[in-house]
Amino acid sequence: MKYFSTRGGGPKLSFEETVLTGLAPDGGLYIPESIPTLPPNWQTEWKSYSFVDLSVAILSLFISRDEVSEPDLRALVVKSYSTFRHPDITPLVKLDDRRFVLELFHGPTFAFKDVALQLLGNLFEFFLLRRNAKKAAGETPEKLTVVGATSGDTGSAAIYGLRNKANISIFILYPKGRVSPIQEAQMATVTDANVHTIAVQGTFDDCQDIVKTLFGDAEFNATHRLGAVNSINWARILAQTVYYFLAYFHIQPHLPDTSADVQFVVPTGNFGDILAGYYAKRMGLPMGNLVVATNANDILARFWNSGRYEKADSELPVSDGKQSGVRETLSPAMDILVSSNFERLLWYLAYENAQGDDENARMVASSATLASWMSTMRTDGRVAIPVDILETARRDFRATRISDEETLQTIRSHFEASPSYIADPHTAVGLAAGKAIASKESTIPLQIMLSTAHPAKFSEAVVQALRGQPSFDFDRDVLPPEFVGLLEKERNVVEVPGPEVDLVKKVIERFAIVDAGSGGVVGV
Ligand SMILES: *Cc1c(COP(=O)(O)O)cnc(C)c1O
């Protein structure tokens, strides 16, 4: 299996090259040259598979055997998910007869990004070790220096994915005093020698600007070649397809009949999580449509509504001061202006509507269409997608936006329900969206809501929603044992007294593995 850029530039890459490259040089995202179909007997064969078995089976369809052997792949998968606390890895929890929650937060940092980043870290290490083993004595070994900025919630997943990995150093910048104490502690208490948490006196935007400047710095890049672990990395999407399959098998005993279609509801920011569901569907996993649940940063909900993909909401008055920027919400991991992975879906939509004499001509045409949309988006901040293409998107997806007030209300109503369920604010956006969409469908769908974080990870919103409830006790009902005492644990943080690139450079030069031959970036 080879991968190519959505925008059509550059050569096709192997899986290994795709994973190590991240973003394509033409600015596009890598996608597989074809979407594999499931083996004929998958439904009986895979029925009793564990998460690990399913992961090996699915990943094998996208990774050539001669690139990673089956025993090597299995060893990587086993290692990646041995850090999870639940035997199912991503357990399915029943709320009532037609609603289920797929909990994706049982990994080391209590959020769904662990599912992908645990595997990505091991893939990086595996490929680097293999490359270095082939080098002659005296040749410089390949290393990776990952640098990224976080507003608090996702830096820890990257750190836990890369901690203690051979040939890799990771530097995560965060705005000092502007992330929650638990989030800060989750990053700062990782004291492995290759992990460097940097507290910058400044804002999150300052941190992001510093990272961008570092990557745009030709000289710095000459010594630190770029790779990527951000959410556009193909391996992250691939890793996330697995839980859709697991959920499909786990829900079967609860279905009224085997033909019942299940709708998946996904709290969405950069469109990675839900895109994995789209791939599962395209591979042949039976499911109803996928629901895009956004917070007030609703570029995707607006797209499905209008066909316009635009940063600012043109229907808002220009005087709305927040119009051009990201809105801060109670579900910060979904606070985005544009959704990077949406480009991959747009390619498939363009392809379905492309003209051409053969497969290859249609693929070339889709990339050209996509590249022109992306270029319009870059210059104008908006692009109008033709109506036939929008209709194609509406066949597989529903989309809706949920406010902070609805998020809080949903946390409360699920706490009060029987059985009681305590949702984190991102999961609550999904629960609220599922309810809103169900009320509009002609037949009430069965739904699986993806739960993307543990409520203790976003405790401020949970406490804000539930503090009036006499029977609510945060320490008893929410706080996991792993978080107890976390704030007092030993820390390793480098302080940078101002938002200055040169100061951060010095830290990286001082701590990066000597002879670092490459670097990478972590998106948030
Ligand atoms: C990253 C994240 C999301 C959004 O996932 P995307 O793949 O970016 O759409 C939702 N919830 C939580 C808790 C996250 O960390």
Side-chain angles (χ1 to χ4, degrees):
M1 176 71 84
K2 294 272 190 189
Y3 294 85
F4 67 97
S5 165
T6 44
R7 299 188 195 176
K12 289 188 177 179
L13 302 187
S14 67
F15 177 74
E16 171 175 343
E17 290 163 335
T18 302
V19 170
L20 290 175
T21 307
L23 190 70
D26 65 355
L29 277 60
Y30 287 105
I31 55 177
E33 57 188 352
S34 64
I35 298 180
T37 45
L38 301 171
N41 53 353
W42 72 275
Q43 248 156 331
T44 43
E45 193 106 317
W46 295 4
K47 194 166 69 182
S48 51
Y49 273 16
S50 66
F51 186 100
V52 163
D53 297 331
L54 275 177
S55 188
V56 173
I58 295 162
L59 268 52
S60 297
L61 301 173
F62 288 91
I63 308 171
S64 308
R65 271 275 177 280
D66 50 9
E67 269 200 72
V68 184
S69 72
E70 151 113 38
D72 281 343
L73 182 60
R74 181 165 285 275
L76 284 166
V77 169
V78 167
K79 187 177 175 191
S80 301
Y81 299 107
S82 65
T83 55
F84 280 60
R85 295 175 302 277
H86 197 285
D88 288 350
I89 311 300
T90 56
L92 188 69
V93 175
K94 183 174 176 172
L95 292 183
D96 56 40
D97 282 345
R98 51 164 206 90
R99 290 187 306 168
F100 298 78
V101 173
L102 181 63
E103 293 185 342
L104 307 178
F105 56 73
H106 295 277
T109 74
F110 292 78
F112 101 98
K113 287 185 178 66
D114 289 328
V115 178
L117 282 165
Q118 287 292 303
L119 180 71
L120 185 65
N122 286 317
L123 283 170
F124 274 153
E125 184 180 54
F126 174 80
F127 290 136
L128 290 177
L129 284 171
R130 189 164 71 178
R131 286 173 173 216
N132 290 339
K134 289 186 194 134
K135 294 204 188 267
E139 254 188 285
T140 314
E142 282 193 50
K143 312 240 164 135
L144 196 73
T145 306
V146 172
V147 185
T150 183
S151 56
D153 21 271
T154 59
S156 58
I159 288 174
Y160 275 78
L162 296 177
R163 69 186 293 185
N164 203 20
K165 295 279 181 273
N167 303 308
I168 302 174
S169 340
I170 174 165
F171 296 84
I172 294 291
L173 281 61
Y174 71 90
K176 184 175 156 68
R178 293 174 195 245
V179 307
S180 82
I182 277 289
Q183 289 171 348
E184 182 171 37
Q186 277 191 299
M187 297 188 279
T189 56
V190 179
T191 54
D192 301 60
N194 73 325
V195 173
H196 310 280
T197 305
I198 304 177
V200 177
Q201 196 78 56
T203 63
F204 170 58
D205 286 339
D206 292 332
C207 294
Q208 244 182 344
D209 285 345
I210 293 173
V211 172
K212 276 192 201 141
T213 311
L214 289 175
F215 280 86
D217 181 328
E219 202 187 310
F220 199 77
N221 273 345
T223 10
H224 304 263
R225 196 192 68 201
L226 300 188
V229 300
N230 55 11
S231 74
I232 51 87
N233 194 296
W234 167 252
R236 290 185 56 175
I237 307 296
L238 184 53
Q240 292 167 182
T241 57
V242 176
Y243 44 72
Y244 287 90
F245 284 84
L246 192 78
Y248 169 80
F249 287 118
H250 283 186
I251 203 172
Q252 292 307 314
H254 302 283
L255 296 186
D257 65 89
T258 48
S259 66
D261 268 345
V262 177
Q263 194 173 51
F264 282 92
V265 185
V266 189
T268 294
N270 271 323
F271 205 74
D273 199 0
I274 194 164
L275 182 74
Y278 176 75
Y279 275 104
K281 188 170 194 198
R282 292 287 308 270
M283 286 162 75
L285 184 70
M287 65 168 83
N289 39 44
L290 290 146
V291 177
V292 180
T294 80
N295 62 26
N297 296 285
D298 61 348
I299 182 168
L300 293 173
R302 284 184 281 115
F303 166 76
W304 262 277
N305 217 357
S306 68
R308 283 193 305 275
Y309 188 55
E310 56 189 342
K311 282 187 193 169
D313 187 344
S314 58
E315 253 123 66
L316 285 180
V318 182
S319 60
D320 179 345
K322 292 237 172 131
Q323 197 196 98
S324 59
V326 175
R327 293 178 168 84
E328 274 183 35
T329 72
L330 293 174
S331 41
M334 290 151 53
D335 290 350
I336 47 91
L337 208 51
V338 293
S339 294
S340 44
N341 274 297
F342 188 57
E343 174 164 348
R344 285 188 165 110
L345 178 69
L346 283 175
W347 189 90
Y348 290 103
L349 297 177
Y351 177 78
E352 281 200 48
N353 295 275
Q355 308 292 319
D357 293 339
D358 57 23
E359 170 80 10
N360 193 53
R362 282 179 66 198
M363 288 173 74
V364 171
S366 330
S367 290
T369 305
L370 194 268
S372 81
W373 287 342
M374 288 298 132
S375 148
T376 308
M377 185 69 181
R378 197 171 50 245
T379 50
D380 303 352
R382 65 172 58 109
V383 55
I385 305 295
V387 71
D388 48 342
I389 292 187
L390 178 63
E391 286 311 318
T392 312
R394 285 179 175 158
R395 191 190 58 207
D396 290 324
F397 294 90
R398 301 280 181 272
T400 194
R401 152 200 159 129
I402 300 300
S403 69
D404 273 353
E405 194 38 59
E406 290 167 298
T407 305
L408 292 171
Q409 182 50 44
T410 302
I411 296 174
R412 275 192 291 272
S413 64
H414 279 273
F415 176 76
E416 288 165 354
S418 165
S420 175
Y421 190 82
I422 301 180
D424 102 288
H426 304 80
T427 307
V429 166
L431 290 163
K435 191 173 169 194
I437 293 290
S439 71
K440 289 187 211 146
E441 303 275 5
S442 47
T443 51
I444 298 178
L446 282 146
Q447 291 179 321
I448 295 178
M449 263 66 71
L450 273 55
S451 170
T452 52
H454 188 286
K457 180 134 186 171
F458 296 93
S459 55
E460 295 83 356
V462 173
V463 169
Q464 188 182 338
L466 299 182
R467 72 180 147 224
Q469 303 277 341
S471 64
F472 175 66
D473 179 335
F474 182 83
D475 287 0
R476 182 197 64 206
D477 301 338
V478 176
L479 195 68
E482 288 82 356
F483 282 12
V484 177
L486 188 65
L487 296 173
E488 287 79 45
K489 268 195 180 165
E490 185 201 343
R491 291 181 183 219
N492 183 10
V493 181
V494 184
E495 304 235 353
V496 167
E500 283 162 46
V501 177
D502 285 342
L503 295 174
V504 174
K505 266 192 187 170
K506 286 212 181 82
V507 176
I508 296 175
E509 275 155 3
R510 163 136 189 250
F511 292 109
I513 305 170
V514 194
D515 288 329
S518 54
V521 67
V522 183
V524 286

